[in-house]
Amino acid sequence: GADPLAGAPSALERARVLCSWSESDPTAAAVGSTVAIHSLVSRPSMNGKVGVVVSANASTARFGVRVAGEAKALALRPANLQPAAEAVEVGRLILKAAEWSPQSHELFPEAARKRAVEVMRLGYLIAWDEERFEGREGAAPEL
């Protein structure tokens, strides 16, 4: 079947949006962003609730926001949305981990760190003994 996430922004793209989103540009919310609802006059009971942006409508200048317990997405103005605090915290962690460094290495689970070291060692071995692989396209490395 079709991939329901095809064309959706990646977690890294959403993290960049959330961490750069400010009151000066509240239209920056990306589909998939986790947002908190505030200052809603028509349905004050929704203020403080957290939802996920599921659509953006340029002609109405509203975002479709899915909130748990609601039958359908709410059409909300950007002024009634802000990035959810938890999402910003996760976004900052994703951005920090996106570029590997000795400082970000500890952010990953131990199994992932071990696998990263194995892959780096393999890459080093292949680069170090490159002549062994020349002219043997598709051949398995003899390590």
Side-chain angles (χ1 to χ4, degrees):
D3 181 0
L5 296 177
S10 69
L12 183 58
E13 290 165 334
R14 289 195 313 270
R16 285 189 179 117
V17 168
L18 279 172
C19 291
S20 64
W21 187 9
S22 67
E23 292 296 324
S24 63
D25 186 15
T27 62
V31 171
S33 298
T34 303
V35 295
I37 300 168
H38 67 90
S39 307
L40 197 59
V41 176
S42 62
R43 289 187 65 191
S45 63
M46 297 305 294
N47 290 329
K49 299 241 177 168
V50 174
V52 176
V53 176
V54 293
S55 64
N57 188 328
S59 64
T60 63
R62 292 183 182 254
F63 290 104
V65 178
R66 172 76 59 196
V67 177
E70 292 296 309
K72 59 182 187 172
L74 306 172
L76 301 173
R77 294 187 337 251
N80 295 114
L81 302 175
Q82 63 188 31
E86 301 84 15
V88 172
E89 187 176 331
V90 169
R92 287 185 181 130
L93 182 62
I94 289 171
L95 291 177
K96 186 176 178 183
E99 296 292 326
W100 184 90
S101 70
Q103 293 78 22
S104 69
H105 188 72
E106 293 299 319
L107 297 172
F108 295 93
E110 185 177 353
R113 293 194 313 261
K114 286 181 178 179
R115 180 69 180 139
V117 169
E118 290 172 2
V119 170
M120 287 174 52
R121 286 182 177 159
L122 181 59
Y124 172 78
L125 288 172
I126 291 171
W128 179 72
D129 199 8
E130 198 171 308
E131 309 84 46
R132 185 186 326 177
F133 304 109
E134 286 182 17
R136 293 175 46 190
E137 286 188 40
E142 299 170 9
L143 300 176

